[in-house]
Amino acid sequence: MSPQETNQFPNNTEVPEIVIARLPQYLRVLHTISDSGIDVISSLQLGKQMQVTPTQIRKDLSHIGRFGKQGKGYNVGYLATELQRVLGLNKNWHVCLIGIGRLGRAILNYPGFAPEGFQIKAAFDIDTAVIGQTIGGLTIQPIDDLKDDISKHNIKIGITAVPSNMTQKVVELLTSYGITSILNYAPMYPQVQPHIKVRNVDPVLALQSMTYYLNRPTNGAEV
Amino acid sequence: MSPQETNQFPNNTEVPEIVIARLPQYLRVLHTISDSGIDVISSLQLGKQMQVTPTQIRKDLSHIGRFGKQGKGYNVGYLATELQRVLGLNKNWHVCLIGIGRLGRAILNYPGFAPEGFQIKAAFDIDTAVIGQTIGGLTIQPIDDLKDDISKHNIKIGITAVPSNMTQKVVELLTSYGITSILNYAPMYPQVQPHIKVRNVDPVLALQSMTYYLNRPTNGAEV
DNA sequence: GTTTGTGAAGTATTTCACAGCC
DNA sequence: GGCTGTGAAATACTTCACAAAC
């Protein structure tokens, strides 16, 4: 396949969402591999490093294109670039944050978003005691500015860090202004239309899904 | 089935992990339903509220027992209690935290764990500038105390908030001391033996799995 | 010789549909 | 009449196995 072919969608079937969710993980590992000076890697080696089967890597990648060379493997830099392109990570995304409580402040100060191309351009609250404060270089605004700021700053992603009982309302506000991607930190899962993507960050739920196994007799410990 | 029967394992086949991961979500919604004064709920109503199919709820619950009444539905309080029991959430769990950087501090101050029965009993770091400080009522200890503290405080769960390049080592340390449940905040997935459970909290990965859809022509937006 | 990309086979998970019970 | 619990059917996902490419 010649490089100038536009092959962003090699077939007309949907890429399974579970595959999409794995691509950023591949990308991240490719970056560390690239940093260590390795130029070419096989699905076998990559799979060993990630503890996934090489077949899964090849099958996943086959959903979005053909990036490898038989007998060789994948060019690390090229594959990373292609994954970034497919995932839309070759540009910056503008994000807004709703809810400047304890958690919201931590998010504003979290240094992990910007280097990955996610820039928090505006932050909102309803509490007049918070509005006007400057945190992490951003001045907190009243929620009424949300609509205008979304278009002004070309914001495509919303982060919600408001109390559970307000989250559904805030999510509906965001989607009514055209936001289709939401990262939700509240411990409840807002209901949205199918074309809206929500990812929930929920450490308590993660803990609660492990205690089940702490209760069992230690199966597999004989390994 | 009489209540005094021990039916914690209605059959000898494994409960799928994907089912276990959904049970805490059911539990959470049941609590809010209970708070609103409703005593009995059908899988249809519950499914509407959670936007999942009633069949899935019934099938999931059937893996761990029979909790409903035909023609009626589920007693909210009873089902919640049973889910708590099966998940091991009817007791407190002792947790330790490794890594007291910016993120670790936020975790120590996060008020969401304790009400759900997860108590951070000890916190560790290797930085002598941090060791000895008191944060959120806990005195930060050197990592060398980890082994003793795990047995002293009956700690069963570890939270890692150390840099990516140290996470694998810290996870191996924890598992070598008998920890089998780990909540990992580092943006890398540590490799562990099959009987060790790891849950990763990774907001950047969550964002990166949404940008794919932001790039597409808005499919489904015609709804 | 090595490794990809992929149909086919095999598993896992979800949904259907209905007997049995309230 | 309404709803659960569950085999059977359908769908989704993973793994196998191998032809084609290097």
Side-chain angles (χ1 to χ4, degrees):
Chain A
M1 184 185 54
S2 64
Q4 59 271 41
E5 273 179 61
T6 135
N7 76 322
Q8 193 162 16
F9 309 112
N11 55 45
N12 50 8
T13 59
E14 285 280 312
V15 183
E17 186 147 352
I18 196 166
V19 172
I20 297 300
R22 278 194 295 259
L23 298 182
Q25 302 177 46
Y26 298 151
L27 183 57
R28 189 176 278 169
V29 176
L30 286 171
H31 281 147
T32 64
I33 289 168
S34 178
D35 289 348
S36 73
I38 293 166
D39 289 335
V40 176
I41 193 163
S42 69
S43 60
L44 184 68
Q45 295 168 291
L46 184 58
K48 250 180 207 147
Q49 206 147 138
M50 301 187 63
Q51 209 123 309
V52 301
T53 64
T55 312
Q56 176 154 85
I57 294 170
R58 295 204 301 276
K59 188 63 128 185
D60 282 356
L61 295 179
S62 79
H63 282 104
I64 53 167
R66 285 173 294 156
F67 308 113
K69 284 225 188 351
Q70 281 103 327
K72 278 275 245 166
Y74 300 88
N75 180 297
V76 176
Y78 173 65
L79 181 55
T81 305
E82 287 299 294
L83 286 179
Q84 273 179 309
R85 185 178 58 78
V86 169
L87 288 167
L89 298 174
N90 49 358
K91 55 176 134 175
N92 282 335
W93 291 99
H94 294 178
V95 181
C96 67
L97 171 66
I98 324 287
I100 316 300
R102 192 197 301 264
L103 197 55
R105 272 168 241 265
I107 292 166
L108 278 178
N109 287 312
Y110 178 60
F113 289 131
E116 298 295 334
F118 297 98
Q119 302 180 340
I120 301 178
K121 302 292 275 188
F124 304 89
D125 208 301
I126 49 166
D127 182 358
T128 50
V130 178
I131 293 164
Q133 281 185 27
T134 298
I135 302 170
L138 274 183
T139 302
I140 312 308
Q141 296 176 259
I143 192 80
D144 312 86
D145 293 0
L146 181 60
K147 184 178 184 178
D148 286 348
D149 270 49
I150 283 174
S151 50
K152 188 168 79 181
H153 290 118
N154 191 29
I155 287 168
K156 298 293 186 191
I157 299 171
I159 301 181
T160 55
V162 300
S164 286
N165 60 349
M166 296 186 188
T167 299
Q168 183 67 39
K169 271 275 183 309
V170 167
V171 165
E172 284 166 14
L173 202 65
L174 283 165
T175 56
S176 77
Y177 297 152
I179 297 294
T180 58
S181 297
I182 294 169
L183 185 67
N184 171 42
Y185 278 83
M188 65 83 67
Y189 289 5
Q191 302 306 311
V192 295
Q193 291 195 289
H195 68 288
I196 308 289
K197 299 291 171 192
V198 178
R199 299 288 182 270
N200 296 287
V201 178
D202 198 327
V204 169
L205 220 59
L207 287 172
Q208 290 179 330
S209 73
M210 289 194 291
T211 50
Y212 174 82
Y213 299 98
L214 287 170
N215 261 355
R216 305 302 95 173
T218 48
N219 58 340
E222 74 281 0
V223 177
Chain B
M1 185 185 53
S2 64
Q4 57 272 38
E5 272 180 62
T6 135
N7 76 320
Q8 194 163 14
F9 309 112
N11 55 46
N12 51 7
T13 57
E14 286 279 312
V15 183
E17 185 147 354
I18 195 164
V19 172
I20 297 301
R22 277 193 295 259
L23 298 182
Q25 302 177 45
Y26 297 151
L27 182 58
R28 189 176 278 169
V29 176
L30 286 170
H31 281 147
T32 64
I33 289 168
S34 177
D35 290 348
S36 72
I38 293 166
D39 288 336
V40 176
I41 193 163
S42 68
S43 60
L44 185 68
Q45 294 168 292
L46 184 58
K48 252 181 204 148
Q49 208 147 137
M50 302 187 62
Q51 210 125 307
V52 302
T53 65
T55 313
Q56 177 156 84
I57 294 170
R58 296 204 300 278
K59 188 64 129 186
D60 282 356
L61 296 178
S62 79
H63 281 104
I64 54 168
R66 285 172 295 155
F67 309 112
K69 284 222 187 356
Q70 282 104 328
K72 278 274 249 168
Y74 301 88
N75 180 296
V76 176
Y78 173 65
L79 181 53
T81 306
E82 288 298 295
L83 285 179
Q84 273 179 308
R85 185 179 57 78
V86 170
L87 288 168
L89 298 173
N90 48 358
K91 56 175 132 174
N92 282 334
W93 292 100
H94 294 177
V95 181
C96 67
L97 172 66
I98 324 287
I100 315 299
R102 193 196 300 262
L103 197 55
R105 272 168 241 266
I107 292 166
L108 278 178
N109 287 311
Y110 178 59
F113 290 131
E116 299 295 332
F118 297 98
Q119 302 179 340
I120 300 178
K121 302 293 276 189
F124 303 89
D125 207 301
I126 48 166
D127 183 357
T128 50
V130 178
I131 292 164
Q133 282 186 26
T134 297
I135 302 170
L138 274 182
T139 302
I140 312 308
Q141 296 176 259
I143 192 81
D144 311 86
D145 292 0
L146 181 60
K147 185 178 184 179
D148 287 348
D149 271 48
I150 283 174
S151 50
K152 189 167 78 179
H153 291 118
N154 191 31
I155 287 168
K156 298 291 185 192
I157 299 170
I159 302 181
T160 54
V162 301
S164 287
N165 60 350
M166 297 187 187
T167 299
Q168 183 67 37
K169 270 276 181 308
V170 167
V171 165
E172 284 166 13
L173 202 65
L174 282 165
T175 56
S176 76
Y177 298 153
I179 296 294
T180 57
S181 297
I182 294 169
L183 185 68
N184 172 43
Y185 278 83
M188 65 84 66
Y189 289 4
Q191 303 305 314
V192 294
Q193 290 196 290
H195 69 288
I196 308 288
K197 300 291 171 191
V198 178
R199 299 287 182 270
N200 297 286
V201 178
D202 197 327
V204 169
L205 219 59
L207 287 172
Q208 290 179 331
S209 72
M210 290 195 290
T211 50
Y212 173 81
Y213 299 98
L214 287 170
N215 261 356
R216 308 298 96 170
T218 49
N219 59 339
E222 73 280 0
V223 178

